């Protein structure tokens, strides 16, 4: 079995067929087909069902797809470890993060990592919710994940470290609230209109819980991209519930920002798989844990 065969197999899975995979890999489709046929012969199972000009993963293919990704990750880790000898830490680490976690703490981690290990490149992949981050790590799509979750993340071979408690804030157009100080009670939300995220984000779960307990909180707009919440708030469409990583940006943009009394908090977690880690991955993890 060759690395190239596994790369071809994973590419077909991720691109949804031989044609798109061949284009992405810049190889001829017949060469791709021959490599997969050879891999199936060596494994003794059919990885794909051929349905006309289309292919569908077989049950064996579904079971082996995640394993193939993990094998490729392990090979990359071995190569990076060899390169790091005598060169310092070099390489790339793929990080999955929800949008709020990508802002903080991931941005600060990358800045610190760049100072410590300039040879490490971080590639981030966005996820809508913690469950998606965890799946991307468990399946081998990313080596590391950062997300907010009320419960400790769990999964096959998963390691989870608590980083901090992220605090959710109320962000409103200037002059919306006349109370003194920088805190609000939940009762002050009654009668307000909100720009909310679509489920299953943590911010939407918080809104739904508050709406159920406070009452008379209405949705003015529902969005799938967190980055448009603040512009909508500034346009006066409604208030927003945003993680504390957005506080400085919101205040500089002209919005009023309030903390809840008592605070609304959500634990943030660093997750990765047990086993051999590339030097770049270990550097990212060590830098993250040192900043707690």
């Amino acid at each position: 079995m060759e690395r190239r065969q596994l790369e071809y197999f994973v590419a077909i899975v991720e691109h949804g067929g031989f044609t798109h995979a061949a284009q992405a890999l810049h190889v001829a489709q017949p060469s791709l087909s021959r490599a997969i046929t050879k891999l199936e012969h060596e494994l003794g199972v059919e990885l794909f069902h051929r349905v006309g000009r289309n292919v569908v993963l077989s049950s064996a293919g579904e079971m082996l797809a995640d394993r193939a990704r993990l094998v490729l990750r392990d090979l990359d880790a071995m190569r990076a470890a060899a390169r790091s000898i005598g060169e310092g830490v070099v390489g790339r680490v793929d990080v999955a993060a929800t949008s709020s976690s990508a802002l903080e703490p991931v941005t600060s981690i990358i800045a610190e990592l760049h100072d410590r290990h300039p040879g490490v490149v971080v590639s981030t992949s966005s996820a809508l919710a913690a469950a998606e981050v965890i799946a991307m790590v468990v399946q081998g799509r990313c080596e590391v994940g950062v997300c907010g979750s009320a419960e400790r993340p769990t999964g096959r071979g998963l390691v989870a470290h608590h980083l901090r408690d992220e605090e959710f804030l109320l962000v409103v157009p200037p002059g919306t609230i006349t109370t003194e100080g920088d805190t609000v009670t939940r009762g002050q939300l009654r009668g307000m209109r909100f720009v909310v995220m679509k489920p299953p984000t943590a911010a939407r779960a918080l809104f739904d819980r508050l709406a159920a307990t406070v009452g008379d909180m209405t949705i003015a707009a529902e969005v799938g991209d967190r980055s448009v919440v603040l512009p909508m708030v500034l346009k006066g469409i409604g208030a927003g519930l945003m993680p504390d990583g957005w506080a400085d940006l919101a205040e500089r943009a002209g919005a009023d920002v309030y903390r809840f009394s008592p605070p609304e908090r959500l634990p943030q977690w660093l997750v990765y798989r047990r086993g051999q880690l590339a030097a770049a991955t270990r550097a990212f993890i060590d830098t993250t844990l040192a900043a707690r």
Side-chain angles (χ1 to χ4, degrees):
M1 186 186 304
E2 301 173 3
R3 176 194 176 97
R4 176 176 56 87
Q5 293 171 308
L6 296 180
E7 289 176 335
Y8 285 1
F9 171 48
V10 170
I12 295 167
V13 173
E14 295 185 345
H15 291 280
F18 282 76
T19 301
H20 293 306
Q23 292 172 348
L25 293 168
H26 303 291
V27 299
Q29 188 168 329
S31 298
L32 189 65
S33 298
R34 286 194 296 271
I36 295 302
T37 299
K38 182 180 178 183
L39 178 61
E40 290 177 321
H41 178 74
E42 291 173 354
L43 293 173
V45 295
E46 189 176 54
L47 298 174
F48 299 98
H49 297 304
R50 280 70 170 176
V51 183
R53 300 182 63 179
N54 300 318
V55 293
V56 178
L57 265 178
S58 67
S59 57
E62 291 178 355
M63 293 178 60
L64 293 174
D66 287 349
R67 297 298 302 170
R69 292 190 184 97
L70 295 175
V71 169
L72 291 173
R73 290 286 185 194
D74 288 343
L75 290 173
D76 288 339
M78 185 180 299
R79 179 180 295 140
R83 288 179 57 202
S84 69
I85 299 174
E87 295 183 10
V89 180
V90 295
R92 163 180 164 145
V93 54
D94 293 314
V95 179
T98 51
S99 57
S100 60
S101 296
L103 187 61
E104 282 298 335
V106 172
T107 298
S108 296
I109 294 167
I110 293 174
E112 178 67 22
L113 185 65
H114 177 73
D115 290 339
R116 293 187 181 191
H117 305 290
V120 174
V121 176
V122 179
S123 175
T124 61
S125 297
S126 61
L128 189 62
E132 188 177 353
V133 170
I134 294 166
M136 293 170 76
V137 174
V138 170
Q139 294 168 3
R141 297 176 186 271
C142 292
E143 290 103 343
V144 183
V146 182
C147 60
S149 173
E151 304 294 331
R152 175 179 289 273
T154 59
R156 187 180 68 249
L158 199 71
V159 178
H161 292 280
H162 177 254
L163 298 180
R164 69 178 190 118
D165 286 338
E166 180 180 54
E167 186 171 354
F168 278 89
L169 309 171
L170 176 69
V171 181
V172 296
T176 300
I177 297 176
T178 57
T179 185
E180 294 184 2
D182 62 353
T183 62
V184 293
T185 65
R186 288 149 185 77
Q188 288 175 271
L189 304 179
R190 191 173 292 111
M192 294 180 63
R193 294 164 57 82
F194 283 82
V195 179
V196 300
M197 291 289 296
K198 294 181 178 180
T201 59
R204 178 54 182 270
L206 172 59
F207 172 84
D208 290 343
R209 177 166 57 82
L210 291 174
T213 56
V214 173
D216 196 22
M217 292 169 55
T218 59
I219 296 176
E222 184 181 63
V223 301
D225 183 352
R226 191 187 300 276
S227 66
V228 303
V229 173
L230 181 56
M232 286 191 173
V233 170
L234 293 171
K235 286 287 187 181
I237 296 172
L241 298 171
M242 305 186 75
D244 53 16
W246 287 81
D248 288 344
L249 179 61
E251 289 175 343
R252 283 190 274 111
D256 290 343
V257 179
Y258 294 90
R259 298 178 61 212
F260 286 100
S261 179
E264 288 285 352
R265 294 193 175 109
L266 182 72
Q268 277 186 314
W269 305 88
L270 172 74
V271 297
Y272 58 92
R273 296 184 310 278
R274 291 187 182 89
Q276 184 177 13
L277 298 172
T281 303
R282 173 51 63 186
F284 183 94
I285 292 170
D286 290 345
T287 300
T288 302
L289 296 180
R292 289 190 296 179

